[in-house]
Each structure stands twice: as C-alpha cells, then as structure tokens.
Amino acid sequence: MVFRDSAPHVYGSSQQVVCCEDLAFDFVRWAVTRRKMPIDIPKAYLNPLFLLVDRRPKAVPRSDLALAAGTSEDTLYKVVEVIRKAVGDVEAPRTLIVNVLGFGYKVVGKTSVRPANVSPISDDNYSASDAVIRISN
C-alpha cells in the first residue's frame, strides 16, 4: 500500500473507475464525480476514501484508514464524517460507508467497474453492448 500527497496512487483498482449509484471513483485521475460533476473533497481525505473503495466489499481496519488519512484512530471518525458529507452519505441508514463495529469501515452497495479510459455510463447513453463488469456485494 502506497500513500502519497499527489496522484498517482497505487491501489488494486489503479487503472479503473469504480461506480456506485451516481458516484464515480476514478483511480487514474484521482477524482470523485457525481453525475459527471466533480465533488470537492479535501485532498487529505482522498487516500482513505480510495482505500475504502479499493478494498470493497471488505472492511478496512481503523489503523489502515488512520495511516491513510495521516491521523490517529481516535479522530478517524471525523475524517469519515467529512468524507460521508462530501459524497452525500449523511443520513441513516448509511448507503455507502458503514461502520464495522470494533474493526473499521467498509463500502457497501452495488458497484460496477470499468476501465478508466471509457466514458462514464449514464442512463441516456447506456446500451447492452457497453463493457461493464457488475460486482454484487
């Protein structure tokens, strides 16, 4: 696992875009979008967010997330709250990032993965011939 201050970051999904609902996590451009519009997430919080997305559907230990965020495990919940707010996961029940009691956090929900060089798929341009790998959690 490599954590750096600027892209490119090295994760298993490093050449992909992971889509979850209306969000897209671009591991090449190191960007998060909602319906093709950029989401403003503080740079310091991209590491833990992309770590969570990369390891989905497995849970990520608090210690790994704290290291990725450059914070302590005691204040990690604040980092997660900023991330949740940025991606719109603010109301219970959580639909993207959930707490795994006594362990850490994980990304939940249906995701799809596509190569980073493919245009985002939306309802108005999707066809059965589009190359999308569906991953169920």
Side-chain angles (χ1 to χ4, degrees), residues 3-136:
F3 300 109
R4 298 184 223 173
D5 292 334
S6 60
H9 298 266
V10 179
Y11 291 112
S13 302
S14 64
Q15 297 300 311
Q16 301 175 339
V17 175
V18 176
C19 300
C20 186
E21 301 293 329
D22 60 350
L23 294 167
F25 302 91
D26 188 329
F27 280 78
V28 172
R29 292 173 190 85
W30 207 240
V32 181
T33 58
R34 173 177 282 117
R35 297 181 201 100
K36 301 181 188 179
M37 298 299 297
I39 295 176
D40 186 28
I41 297 177
K43 195 175 196 178
Y45 300 131
L46 288 175
N47 262 332
L49 175 58
F50 276 76
L51 180 59
L52 283 164
V53 173
D54 185 59
R55 292 204 190 159
R56 75 197 181 291
K58 295 179 181 177
V60 179
R62 282 189 303 273
S63 59
D64 288 2
L65 288 169
L67 177 63
T71 189
S72 71
E73 289 183 42
D74 294 334
T75 59
L76 181 62
Y77 74 95
K78 292 179 184 179
V79 171
V80 173
E81 286 306 311
V82 169
I83 293 170
R84 283 176 169 159
K85 184 176 180 183
V87 297
D89 191 23
V90 293
E91 295 183 22
R94 305 290 187 186
T95 58
L96 182 64
I97 300 171
V98 297
N99 182 27
V100 178
L101 192 60
F103 185 75
Y105 296 89
K106 71 177 186 173
V107 168
V108 295
K110 293 182 182 178
T111 58
S112 62
V113 178
R114 62 180 168 80
N117 60 349
V118 176
S119 298
I121 295 174
S122 65
D123 291 338
D124 54 12
N125 69 1
Y126 176 77
S127 71
S129 64
D130 288 318
V132 177
I133 301 168
R134 300 280 179 205
I135 300 173
S136 57

